[in-house]
Amino acid sequence: MSTAEETDGESAPWAEVTPEAARRLLVAAVDAFAERGYHATTTRDIAGRAGMSPAALYIHYKTKEELLHRISRIGHDRALAVLEAAADSEGTAAERLAAAVRSFVQWHAERHTTARVVQYELDALGAEHRAEIIELRRRSDAVVRRIIGEGVAAGEFDVPDVPGTTLAVLSLCIDVARWFNAQGSRTPDEVGDLYAGLVLRMVAAGR
């Protein structure tokens, strides 16, 4: 089993990618990009990890960049859905912010191999694909900014700079993908709880 499959925390990771050969290539690309970086990875590397010939890759993906875009689009869509679900849940702004941070951090920890590719290979995308992914990032920013803004309006948070604090919160969460180790001393749930508490202190919740 590949690293991406082991850390995606799902029984059928990338199930939306069909046919099976295309999914195998995408999983192999996640592993290769995370291990070697996009630019150091060749299509031959990806095909070899998938147990396929280089020619077979081009049946499903026209270019290596198209593969990266597919990975990035699915990853950003999933991460945005996690944030939106927490933001739209019941509860106070503090409860919703804690839930958003907890679930976002857990996602980046459980899927750290995928998340490293999704979050740190943006510059390798072509201009059109990069603009698409940047828009998804803006939407994630807007979700967190909305929760913090609502907390300020309700008197729950003491935040003089909502945009700057939003950036700090998202950066803190995303960086988990860079250092998280599945064999380490903390589980994704524990890291999620830790970061939720840190962020609530950052916004001076309840002060």
Side-chain angles (χ1 to χ4, degrees), residues 53-198:
S53 70
L57 185 148
Y58 295 107
I59 295 174
H60 303 284
Y61 302 98
K62 295 178 182 178
T63 63
K64 184 175 70 166
E65 192 270 350
E66 184 179 312
L67 248 176
L68 177 62
H69 170 250
R70 184 85 168 112
I71 294 165
S72 191
R73 178 64 201 235
I74 292 173
H76 278 88
D77 280 340
R78 289 178 177 178
L80 176 60
V82 163
L83 287 173
E84 289 178 334
D88 295 336
S89 63
E90 298 293 329
T92 65
E95 290 168 341
R96 289 183 289 119
L97 181 60
V101 169
R102 186 178 296 110
S103 57
F104 199 51
V105 166
Q106 288 170 348
W107 189 89
H108 281 81
E110 290 171 350
R111 299 159 178 80
H112 56 93
T113 304
T114 298
R116 282 201 301 274
V117 177
V118 167
Q119 298 294 356
Y120 297 119
E121 293 288 2
L122 178 65
D123 289 343
L125 291 170
E128 182 177 349
H129 287 160
R130 189 184 309 118
E132 177 186 313
I133 299 305
I134 287 173
E135 176 57 28
L136 288 172
R137 291 190 177 203
R138 288 195 182 113
R139 288 173 60 187
S140 292
D141 181 280
V143 171
V144 176
R145 188 181 302 197
R146 170 165 63 89
I147 303 173
I148 295 175
E150 289 170 355
V152 172
E156 292 184 51
F157 301 157
D158 181 11
V159 178
D161 183 349
V162 172
T165 302
T166 300
L167 177 61
V169 169
L170 287 171
S171 298
L172 187 69
C173 296
I174 288 168
D175 195 54
V176 170
R178 182 185 56 78
W179 62 260
F180 185 81
N181 181 352
Q183 282 73 50
S185 60
R186 295 181 188 269
T187 67
D189 287 352
E190 289 170 341
V191 178
D193 287 341
L194 172 64
Y195 275 52
L198 291 173

Side-chain angles (χ1 to χ4, degrees), residues 21 23-29 44-53:
R23 190 189 74 85
R24 283 169 51 200
L25 287 163
L26 186 142
V27 170
R44 184 175 294 275
D45 293 332
I46 296 168
R49 286 172 184 255
M52 301 165 70
S53 70

